Amino acid sequence: MQTVLKFVLISQTVFVFISTVSVTDAPAAKSSAEKPSETHWLRRLFGQLVRKSRVAPAPDDEGDDTKKETLQEAHSHNADELVEVVTVSAPSEEDKEDLEKTEENDSSSNSSESLQPPPVWFGRFMTIAVNHSSTDLRFKLEALFMFKSVISQQNPEFADYNEKDAHEFLIIFLDQLRSVSLLLQEEAAVMGRIYTCPVEDNFMFKMENSRTCKRCGARSTREEDFISLSLKLVYGSSVQEMLKDYLMETDVYFRCDCGANTSGQQYIFETLPRVLILHLKRFRVAQLVLTEKLYYPVKLFRELVVSSRQGDSWYSLMSVISYIGWRKEGHYISDGLHPDVELDDPGDRWLTYNDSEVIEIQGASVCQEREKIAYVLFYQRQM
């Protein structure tokens, strides 16, 4: 059960940014009184691409129906507890009809007719995001299974129900979301709208990678795009200190024209994202093939200062994904700022998502209790 529900942790953490996809009116668009809702435009936008693509059927998972029933039964007895924690609304009939139609399209499509990686998974994720607070657990589980099935078409490593890496899944999803940006922009233009990629708007940033010869001083630079940074764990260090270490110059082997073999390599932020994703390297290869999990404590400070060529920016911690367990057997939980409050909430209200259990917690407690298990951190820039 945990494997599918781990994907919920990712969507719970980023849905606030992904579901606010920017689809605005072009200059010659209709007046506000004539505009349909943003959700309506998004549905039309995704629908246009789906109709232009042929979707290959997802790989069949043996025992899929049995797993689905087991998940539904497991959630049904927790339904009352979930309703008590959060006041929510049921999914619309339009959402349910969309889910049924796309499921029928998937089953009737021929894999040989696939024209391009279809954006169906984008619509599936929007279904999850729009209905994340629904009390209809059966519908939510079906939506999750459909989302996982479509993602697995392009990434077969996620087709089974074994342990998966949350950071890897997140980056693959964000990369796929970015990959259809041009198509969505073109379709939005036809509809008299302007689409802005939420990945580029919220998560993407640029860094300068420079290399300088230690002997002659010859220097070369290139600009690289990033969605997240992976920080090496240093026992007892803070996130701020590990980020500083990442940005320090390191010696690398490089054969320069002058004959020297050592150069200094360094990364510098060119631009900064709205949300900075930091991945803590808690796993390392030990004894050649075995992977060891590191339980080094990390000081999770609420504030983070990041320097770039544009100046210094302050960031505030707004979500943490943690991994409890060992290399092959573990469990993900997610903590995030309560959706009803701002970053400077005096009550310090956060929520902990642990499968179907959602409880309130204070952000200070999260920083203290997750020091040894925090895996992916989300920092939001203060405006």
Side-chain angles (χ1 to χ4, degrees), residues 75-285:
H75 271 267
S76 63
H77 75 275
N78 288 326
D80 294 337
E81 299 175 10
L82 185 63
V83 174
E84 289 177 1
V85 175
V86 185
T87 303
V88 295
S89 59
S92 66
E93 290 302 319
E94 184 179 4
D95 290 327
K96 293 183 178 181
E97 290 177 4
D98 286 349
L99 190 65
E100 292 174 358
K101 289 178 181 178
T102 52
E103 186 170 8
E104 291 174 0
N105 290 337
D106 284 352
S107 62
S108 62
S109 299
N110 189 314
S111 59
S112 63
E113 297 177 343
S114 180
L115 302 180
Q116 58 190 13
V120 177
W121 54 267
F122 197 173
R124 297 280 175 78
F125 180 78
M126 287 299 298
T127 299
I128 295 173
V130 171
N131 295 284
H132 77 282
S133 59
S134 168
T135 55
D136 190 336
L137 298 182
R138 181 183 179 85
F139 172 80
K140 292 172 71 175
L141 285 169
E142 289 178 349
L144 283 169
F145 269 99
M146 297 299 291
F147 177 60
K148 175 184 178 296
S149 177
V150 174
I151 285 287
S152 299
Q153 291 181 33
Q154 301 298 319
N155 302 277
E157 63 269 31
F158 294 107
D160 58 32
Y161 294 88
N162 297 325
E163 283 289 332
K164 305 299 176 185
D165 186 272
H167 176 254
E168 180 183 0
F169 180 84
L170 172 63
I171 298 306
I172 285 176
F173 168 70
L174 294 179
D175 281 340
Q176 288 197 9
L177 182 56
R178 186 187 177 205
S179 71
V180 297
S181 176
L182 182 59
L183 293 174
L184 290 169
Q185 289 172 1
E186 293 173 349
E187 291 299 328
V190 172
M191 299 161 61
R193 311 283 283 187
I194 299 175
Y195 169 84
T196 303
C197 177
V199 178
E200 296 174 357
D201 256 15
N202 295 303
F203 303 107
M204 185 160 288
F205 55 96
K206 296 182 181 296
M207 300 191 78
E208 178 190 89
N209 179 2
S210 65
R211 186 177 60 230
T212 306
C213 177
K214 291 292 187 176
R215 177 189 290 178
C216 70
R219 187 171 184 267
S220 62
T221 63
R222 70 172 182 267
E223 191 176 79
E224 300 177 11
D225 290 335
F226 286 81
I227 295 178
S228 73
L229 290 182
S230 294
L231 305 182
K232 181 180 179 180
L233 281 183
V234 179
Y235 190 94
S237 293
S238 67
V239 176
Q240 184 77 66
E241 291 168 334
M242 290 189 294
L243 179 60
K244 181 180 179 180
D245 288 345
Y246 182 93
L247 298 174
M248 290 181 63
E249 182 179 89
T250 57
D251 288 346
V252 295
Y253 176 84
F254 179 76
R255 182 72 173 178
C256 181
D257 292 339
C258 71
N261 294 324
T262 304
S263 293
Q265 185 177 48
Q266 186 173 25
Y267 280 96
I268 298 175
F269 282 99
E270 288 280 355
T271 63
L272 292 173
R274 179 186 174 199
V275 177
L276 179 61
I277 302 176
L278 298 178
H279 165 231
L280 306 183
K281 295 182 178 179
R282 286 206 175 272
F283 296 92
R284 70 179 179 188
V285 177

